Amino acid sequence: MDPSGLLDLLKRRTGFTEAHAALLKDLGAVMVPIAPEVALAFYDYLGRDGELAAILHAVPGRVERLYGTFAEWYRELFSGAYDRAYAERRRRIGLVHARLGIGPKAIIPAMGLVQELSLEHLRTALRGPEVFGAVEAFEKILAIELALVEESYFEALSSGLALGHRDLVEALKAGAKALLAP
């Protein structure tokens, strides 16, 4: 997978423009401060699922570390920089999740919560017609986010199947582990 090429394709398909990027960067002042609150809700949501809670708490201190990782990810949503490095970081995020056996059926609903909380904050923080452009830009970048991460799952699964794994979860994990190896 070429993350940069995929990002360009996704920008075209979603209609994401430099104007959207600039708007998201401007929104950072309003949105980045809520990252801890969104992270708390995100991990609380995941922690209510037995399977995901077991993964979250399998390593002491993991959840606490993930709060910081989440905040950095959320900040990057509003960075205004959506380039090759951005796409490669999103690929890595997907591969790390895949290596742990966390697939789209967990990530997509959790991202729905991120979207819900973020849009609620946008509608509260902004007034008048400016909210429409902000919502549009945010929804476009979230669609791109999910597509980049999901493509990394396909890449990991394909790699794991090529390695001879027939169980899909094991193929996903093994493929991601191989792709993440130095």
Side-chain angles (χ1 to χ4, degrees), residues 134-155:
V135 167
E136 178 184 299
F138 182 72
E139 287 182 343
K140 286 179 186 298
I141 199 60
L142 271 192
I144 289 169
E145 286 279 326
L146 283 171
L148 286 168
V149 170
E150 191 170 2
E151 284 296 321
S152 68
Y153 290 138
F154 291 135
E155 182 183 15

Side-chain angles (χ1 to χ4, degrees), residues 91-101 152-153 155-161 163 165 168-182:
R91 175 183 180 260
R92 182 167 176 75
I93 287 170
L95 291 175
V96 168
H97 283 89
R99 183 182 66 200
L100 295 171
S152 68
Y153 290 138
E155 182 183 15
L157 183 59
S158 177
S159 178
L161 291 171
L163 291 170
H165 295 275
L168 295 181
V169 173
E170 288 309 312
L172 181 71
K173 290 178 179 181
K177 184 177 180 181
L179 291 167
L180 287 166

Side-chain angles (χ1 to χ4, degrees), residues 31-42:
M31 299 304 291
V32 171
I34 71 163
E37 176 185 335
V38 178
L40 184 63
F42 182 81

Side-chain angles (χ1 to χ4, degrees), residues 64-142:
E64 293 77 12
R65 184 179 51 77
L66 289 172
Y67 281 112
T69 303
F70 182 96
E72 179 60 30
W73 168 81
Y74 196 78
R75 194 172 18 262
E76 286 182 358
L77 283 178
F78 302 97
S79 69
Y82 311 102
D83 55 12
R84 177 180 212 45
Y86 166 86
E88 288 173 357
R89 285 190 301 274
R90 285 352 190 225
R91 175 183 180 260
R92 182 167 176 75
I93 287 170
L95 291 175
V96 168
H97 283 89
R99 183 182 66 200
L100 295 171
I102 302 170
K105 67 184 177 193
I107 294 300
I108 292 173
M111 287 296 289
L113 178 67
V114 171
Q115 181 178 23
E116 179 183 335
L117 294 172
S118 299
L119 290 176
E120 180 181 311
H121 183 71
L122 276 174
R123 287 190 287 267
T124 302
L126 303 178
R127 298 287 182 238
E130 65 187 351
V131 75
F132 297 112
V135 167
E136 178 184 299
F138 182 72
E139 287 182 343
K140 286 179 186 298
I141 199 60
L142 271 192

